[in-house]
Amino acid sequence: MERRSFLTRTGAGAGVGAALLAAPAITHAQPAVRWRCTTGVPRALDTFFDTTTDAAQRISDATGGRFQMSVAPVGEIVPMPQAVEAVVGGVVEAAHVYAAWYTGLDPTWAFGTAIPFGMNTRLMNAWWYKGGGGAMFNDWLRPRGVQYILAGNTTMQMGGWFRREVRTLADVRGLRFRIAGIGGNIWHAAGAVPQMIPAADIFPALERGTIDAVEFTGPHDEEKLGFHRVARFYYYPSFWSGNGGLGFLVNLRAWEALPAEYRHIFTAAAHEANLMMVARQDSLNAAALRRLIAGGTQLRVFPMPLLRTFHDHATRIYTELNAANADFRRFYDHYTRFQREGAGWLRIGEDSFNNMMSELQRPRAAGAGEQRRPS
Amino acid sequence: MERRSFLTRTGAGAGVGAALLAAPAITHAQPAVRWRCTTGVPRALDTFFDTTTDAAQRISDATGGRFQMSVAPVGEIVPMPQAVEAVVGGVVEAAHVYAAWYTGLDPTWAFGTAIPFGMNTRLMNAWWYKGGGGAMFNDWLRPRGVQYILAGNTTMQMGGWFRREVRTLADVRGLRFRIAGIGGNIWHAAGAVPQMIPAADIFPALERGTIDAVEFTGPHDEEKLGFHRVARFYYYPSFWSGNGGLGFLVNLRAWEALPAEYRHIFTAAAHEANLMMVARQDSLNAAALRRLIAGGTQLRVFPMPLLRTFHDHATRIYTELNAANADFRRFYDHYTRFQREGAGWLRIGEDSFNNMMSELQRPRAAGAGEQRRPS
């Protein structure tokens, strides 16, 4: 008990508090700043939208309300496809977007979010912040007059909602699947027919059967969109989104006009968004998945032989992209080199723990003791 | 090309920049503050120590240098075991520590870092920030006059360096293993002899063979400490550290004396530390593990039957702790309930991707095609 006694004292010693008074208050002028930020989602997609408004709140809090960023849902200022143009042209100071939405402009944009069979969330952060990936991406963006500050992650996305099971390549052929980007190219190569449908039109299209399947993000968002009411099979993993990084695309002229403290505070808010969106996703997705399964959703894992086929198509598509686009190739080489070493580490330093925990959840065979061998 | 043309313009439109000038500069007084922060590690353990100094730098940057926190390595102000007392007593305003170092005061401290067979890094953040864990921990700390702001994570720790292989319980009996806390209790229950040795004395003890094994953190730190030069077998996973959260322990009187903006800026710096330490660890550990293996280190996974035995001992020890300590029990119930649902989600929503990527790395069996079955 003696060792604990000091913990029961509530009061603090004389040293603390004095720190604040030791130096005179310095009067310091900080300008009032108003920014506008467009996002790529409606308010209802709260894991994304609230991440944006939380960041704006943190910026306001840290500046005593002097730096205000107003947040507009998709379409209020510009539609999602025009968000890059709006930041480049200075219509808004910032946009909160998935870089991968803009692979139609240049596939190199994908490296700001994820590429198929690419990094998971841990690796993306390691590459982006400590492996040179983020600096490389912003060097690439600089001539466009913008930068991209990573600020959120959906984490691995689910494979999507399917009206019928996908067991072999025969089930893929002709499948009308709502999916975009390089992932869509891979499904197309395997015989599917990728569909681009605005988010608001997905549910009716899936309900009427004009599409067979849709991928979006994860359980919490998708439960809100009601996909489980019109498609029974919920597949995983999305080999095309091992993570789903999003970020603030910021106009560089507006950025450079900010006081240095505000730039640091904005960056800190983006980093917080990246940490907190993952925590929020995990908390909400866990609860949503439980409800979905209780409601009759059938979980399905894509069969490994099919995943190998998709992987073969991906390899060929990367060869083509690398041959056609020198920027893409430079990123691809850098990214995959980091991924190889990093994934090797995480298999040892992370997956081993998770797989052990998973194994411990399984019922033990009757009569098996310490020396039981894995069956 | 038309779709891309706007991206080649470097200049920004008239709207941007004007935002800064639209409002008059407001003169705002912010006080100069000086804090002292003790850490639990020497400067050389850079993944931890640099996380502390980086946080101090971010706080300074975001306040234009007006809020300065000086960082002292372990022992310069107080030794590691006295850090809690130093913050409670106001000798320092803050300490950057693993909460689990203080399980000798009360085992409930462990929930600020990790408990054996507990959460991984993703779950810890989800529970702490969005599952009520952090608020619960700080409610528990409040009567002591301190709070704990999560600020870093080692991620899953390695199982440690062993001079001989550990295959069955017979190899555990009598094993002199440098390990502390609840993890140490579990090894003790299985027949090992846990040793508490100050960090600086580990290497010579392992070299002379007065201990048989040591666990510390991960490849980067341990390579620096040279354990691979005197122990050949490098085990994983550490079932006792699925993550390794650390945080700023802060004196509440000092905290409440801060201007609101400074509290927000400090919290943001702690959140950034949590994000960035993981990115740093992953980047450095991947490179260190490669070097260690190239240098002859033998990687070994703890056999699953042995892990089941440890798990059985852990279950019994938790029953005892829950019976003896009502605070521990309240946390344990809350934590394990969150863990069960969250781990179920992550097996679907994260592990499935990582295990697929791992499987794709394996050489394909000769002649196997799309329909190949897992062997």
Side-chain angles (χ1 to χ4, degrees):
Chain A
M1 288 304 287
E2 246 179 319
R3 298 170 68 192
R4 296 182 58 185
S5 63
F6 70 88
L7 288 174
T8 59
R9 278 184 281 139
T10 305
V16 159
L20 189 65
L21 310 171
I26 294 167
T27 301
H28 179 73
Q30 282 192 315
V33 173
R34 298 282 174 278
W35 272 24
R36 294 204 306 167
C37 176
T38 181
T39 72
V41 296
R43 284 181 206 282
L45 287 180
D46 58 310
T47 53
F48 185 137
F49 194 81
D50 291 1
T51 296
T52 323
T53 55
D54 282 359
Q57 185 63 51
R58 288 174 201 278
I59 291 166
S60 173
D61 287 343
T63 60
R66 288 179 293 282
F67 184 178
Q68 292 289 334
M69 181 167 75
S70 64
V71 176
V74 64
E76 192 171 290
I77 300 174
V78 286
M80 182 268 271
Q82 272 74 62
V84 175
E85 189 169 358
V87 177
V88 169
V91 174
V92 291
E93 285 79 12
H96 200 196
V97 293
Y98 295 97
W101 275 338
Y102 304 100
T103 49
L105 303 172
D106 186 321
T108 310
W109 279 91
F111 292 100
T113 299
I115 65 169
F117 298 105
M119 297 185 185
N120 66 11
T121 307
R122 282 268 291 272
L123 285 179
M124 176 65 179
N125 286 340
W127 176 66
W128 192 265
Y129 295 122
K130 303 295 175 185
M136 190 173 167
F137 197 76
N138 281 314
D139 284 346
W140 178 71
L141 284 180
R142 191 165 297 118
R144 294 158 179 81
V146 298
Q147 67 170 330
Y148 179 74
I149 308 175
L150 208 62
N153 205 306
T154 60
T155 72
M156 186 204 100
Q157 299 185 359
M158 291 293 281
W161 295 86
F162 290 71
R163 287 165 59 96
R164 50 187 172 79
E165 287 188 86
V166 178
R167 288 175 171 141
T168 68
L169 261 190
D171 300 318
V172 173
R173 289 195 194 104
L175 186 88
R176 293 159 303 169
F177 187 23
R178 198 267 188 185
I179 183 173
I182 304 172
N185 299 346
I186 296 170
W187 278 88
H188 179 70
V193 186
Q195 310 278 316
M196 265 323 299
I197 300 175
D201 301 336
I202 298 171
F203 181 86
L206 195 61
E207 188 177 31
R208 284 195 307 269
T210 55
I211 60 173
D212 304 305
V214 58
E215 66 88 38
F216 202 79
T217 50
H220 176 77
D221 286 347
E222 293 163 356
E223 185 188 35
K224 284 198 162 200
L225 294 167
F227 299 154
H228 58 291
R229 294 192 278 118
V230 288
R232 185 171 161 209
F233 301 105
Y234 195 21
Y235 271 86
Y236 67 97
S238 77
F239 58 80
W240 56 96
S241 292
N243 85 98
L246 52 155
F248 284 111
L249 199 69
V250 175
N251 180 289
L252 278 180
R253 210 175 120 201
W255 182 255
E256 280 149 19
L258 289 177
E261 287 100 309
Y262 288 13
R263 290 199 295 265
H264 287 294
I265 286 167
F266 188 103
T267 304
H271 292 162
E272 287 184 281
N274 203 4
L275 178 74
M276 292 299 175
M277 184 169 169
V278 173
R280 184 199 303 253
Q281 291 273 144
D282 282 336
S283 171
L284 294 173
N285 280 336
L289 184 66
R290 171 176 39 79
R291 287 190 300 269
L292 289 166
I293 292 170
T297 286
Q298 300 285 308
L299 274 179
R300 290 288 183 277
V301 63
F302 288 121
M304 198 63 212
L306 203 52
L307 290 168
R308 287 194 187 275
T309 302
F310 284 122
H311 188 245
D312 289 342
H313 286 299
T315 303
R316 193 178 44 70
I317 285 168
Y318 286 134
T319 303
E320 291 167 7
L321 283 168
N322 287 334
N325 185 321
D327 284 339
F328 189 92
R329 184 190 187 138
R330 193 164 49 86
F331 275 88
Y332 184 81
D333 289 347
H334 192 270
Y335 179 102
T336 50
R337 198 177 319 120
F338 191 93
Q339 184 185 348
R340 267 192 301 278
E341 182 161 288
W345 154 243
L346 287 182
R347 272 198 284 281
I348 304 298
E350 176 67 29
D351 301 349
S352 67
F353 182 85
N354 299 328
N355 291 331
M356 170 195 75
M357 291 300 286
S358 176
E359 183 67 25
L360 287 170
Q361 299 306 308
R362 295 184 206 206
R364 208 183 291 211
E370 188 216 332
Q371 299 303 327
R372 173 181 172 264
R373 294 182 180 280
S375 53
Chain B
M1 289 303 289
E2 245 177 321
R3 297 171 68 193
R4 298 183 56 185
S5 63
F6 70 87
L7 288 174
T8 59
R9 279 184 280 138
T10 305
V16 158
L20 190 65
L21 309 171
I26 295 166
T27 301
H28 179 74
Q30 283 191 315
V33 173
R34 298 283 173 278
W35 272 24
R36 294 203 308 166
C37 176
T38 182
T39 73
V41 296
R43 284 180 207 282
L45 287 179
D46 58 310
T47 53
F48 185 138
F49 193 81
D50 292 1
T51 296
T52 324
T53 55
D54 283 359
Q57 185 63 51
R58 289 175 200 277
I59 291 166
S60 174
D61 287 344
T63 59
R66 287 179 294 282
F67 183 0
Q68 293 288 336
M69 180 168 75
S70 64
V71 177
V74 64
E76 193 171 289
I77 300 174
V78 286
M80 182 268 272
Q82 272 74 62
V84 174
E85 189 168 359
V87 177
V88 169
V91 174
V92 292
E93 285 79 12
H96 200 196
V97 293
Y98 296 96
W101 275 338
Y102 304 100
T103 48
L105 302 172
D106 186 321
T108 310
W109 280 92
F111 292 99
T113 300
I115 65 168
F117 298 104
M119 297 186 186
N120 66 10
T121 307
R122 280 269 292 271
L123 285 179
M124 176 65 179
N125 286 339
W127 176 66
W128 193 265
Y129 296 122
K130 302 295 174 184
M136 190 172 168
F137 197 76
N138 281 314
D139 284 346
W140 177 70
L141 284 180
R142 191 165 298 119
R144 294 157 180 81
V146 298
Q147 68 170 329
Y148 179 73
I149 308 176
L150 208 62
N153 205 305
T154 60
T155 72
M156 185 204 99
Q157 299 185 359
M158 290 293 282
W161 296 85
F162 290 71
R163 288 164 58 96
R164 50 186 172 79
E165 288 188 86
V166 178
R167 289 177 171 140
T168 67
L169 261 190
D171 301 318
V172 173
R173 288 194 194 104
L175 186 88
R176 293 159 303 169
F177 187 20
R178 197 266 187 188
I179 182 172
I182 304 172
N185 298 346
I186 296 170
W187 278 87
H188 178 71
V193 187
Q195 310 279 316
M196 265 323 299
I197 301 176
D201 300 336
I202 298 171
F203 180 86
L206 195 60
E207 187 177 31
R208 283 195 308 268
T210 54
I211 59 173
D212 304 305
V214 59
E215 65 89 38
F216 202 80
T217 51
H220 175 77
D221 285 347
E222 292 162 356
E223 185 187 35
K224 283 197 161 200
L225 294 167
F227 299 153
H228 58 292
R229 293 192 277 117
V230 289
R232 184 172 162 207
F233 301 104
Y234 195 20
Y235 272 86
Y236 68 96
S238 78
F239 59 79
W240 56 96
S241 291
N243 86 100
L246 51 155
F248 285 110
L249 200 68
V250 175
N251 179 289
L252 279 180
R253 209 176 120 200
W255 182 254
E256 280 148 20
L258 289 178
E261 288 101 307
Y262 288 13
R263 291 200 293 265
H264 287 293
I265 286 167
F266 188 104
T267 304
H271 293 163
E272 287 185 280
N274 204 3
L275 179 73
M276 291 298 175
M277 184 169 169
V278 173
R280 185 199 304 252
Q281 290 273 145
D282 282 336
S283 172
L284 294 172
N285 280 336
L289 184 66
R290 172 177 38 79
R291 287 190 300 269
L292 289 166
I293 292 170
T297 287
Q298 300 284 309
L299 275 178
R300 290 288 184 277
V301 63
F302 288 121
M304 198 63 213
L306 203 50
L307 290 169
R308 287 193 188 275
T309 302
F310 284 122
H311 188 245
D312 289 342
H313 286 298
T315 303
R316 194 180 41 71
I317 286 169
Y318 286 135
T319 303
E320 291 167 8
L321 282 168
N322 286 333
N325 185 321
D327 285 339
F328 188 92
R329 184 190 187 140
R330 192 164 49 87
F331 274 89
Y332 185 81
D333 289 347
H334 192 271
Y335 179 102
T336 50
R337 198 177 319 120
F338 192 93
Q339 183 185 348
R340 267 192 302 277
E341 181 162 287
W345 153 242
L346 288 182
R347 272 198 286 281
I348 304 297
E350 176 67 28
D351 301 349
S352 67
F353 181 85
N354 299 328
N355 291 331
M356 169 195 74
M357 292 300 286
S358 177
E359 182 68 25
L360 287 170
Q361 300 304 308
R362 294 184 207 206
R364 209 183 291 212
E370 188 215 332
Q371 298 305 327
R372 173 181 173 265
R373 295 181 180 279
S375 52

